[in-house]
Amino acid sequence: MSMIRLLLAEDQSMVREALAALLGLEPDIEVVAQVARGDEVLAAAREHGVDVALLDIEMPGMTGIEATAQLRDALPDVKVVVVTTFGRPGYLRRAMESGADAFLVKDAPAAQLAAAVRKVLAGERVIDPTLAAAALADGASPLTEREREVLRTAADGSTNAEIAAALHLSQGTVRNYLSMAIQKMAARNRAEAVRMAREKGWL
């Protein structure tokens, strides 16, 4: 039986170690690398010659979705399973657009994760059915990439001037993007637009 070489990327060490221990019990899976940051994924995958990368979405350095896109470009043969604590439909859509082969919630049983690892290696796609239904019901994000970027920058309470400086835009342009985003989200203000977009996984 050939062993499946697995990379585990998860910033919470207890969760990462528990996952590694559980998946390591599978007779055909070997966890050959573990990282705690999204921007360490590609180098670790290269160094250890992995078959499958199991990536959390929310990590320092780079999100799991960004790391998925990076892996897809640099190492297209590596299969990617994205796991998340937050079952947000927008995350599912963005993960799949980035090239993920599977998308599951983190509290799925270890046997289900192991089965997903085997299935993606066999060329299948695996998606949590509840999330898939929610993503279809929710539809695509109405925000443009620029509107999303401006909202994301506004999330920490930055002023229009600070957002303009950070994104190299004029304050008028920032105001326009923010008002368009607020309008599209049917929100009362920017804070509500940020909260709603986050809840849907669009930021």
Side-chain angles (χ1 to χ4, degrees), residues 102-126:
F103 190 93
L104 299 165
V105 284
K106 208 183 287 181
D107 55 9
Q112 198 176 324
L113 285 177
V117 166
R118 295 184 190 104
K119 283 177 179 172
V120 296
L121 264 184
E124 294 180 44
R125 275 198 150 182
V126 184

Side-chain angles (χ1 to χ4, degrees), residues 148-165:
R148 197 156 62 203
E149 197 177 16
V150 169
L151 262 192
R152 202 182 291 130
T153 312
D156 63 359
S158 295
T159 64
N160 286 359
E162 288 164 341
I163 297 167

Side-chain angles (χ1 to χ4, degrees), residues 33-115:
Q34 296 182 44
V35 297
R37 296 175 57 87
D39 52 7
E40 293 172 354
V41 167
L42 180 58
R46 274 204 175 107
E47 185 186 340
H48 296 278
V50 303
D51 302 306
V52 179
L54 189 73
L55 310 181
D56 183 28
I57 284 191
E58 306 215 332
M59 290 185 287
M62 184 183 283
T63 68
I65 291 172
E66 290 164 335
T68 297
Q70 208 179 49
L71 278 175
R72 187 56 63 241
D73 287 344
L75 301 170
D77 291 340
V78 174
K79 301 295 184 182
V80 180
V81 176
V82 173
V83 292
T84 178
T85 312
F86 310 101
R88 294 172 182 162
Y91 277 168
L92 166 59
R93 194 177 290 275
R94 283 167 53 209
M96 290 309 176
E97 284 168 358
S98 297
D101 300 285
F103 190 93
L104 299 165
V105 284
K106 208 183 287 181
D107 55 9
Q112 198 176 324
L113 285 177

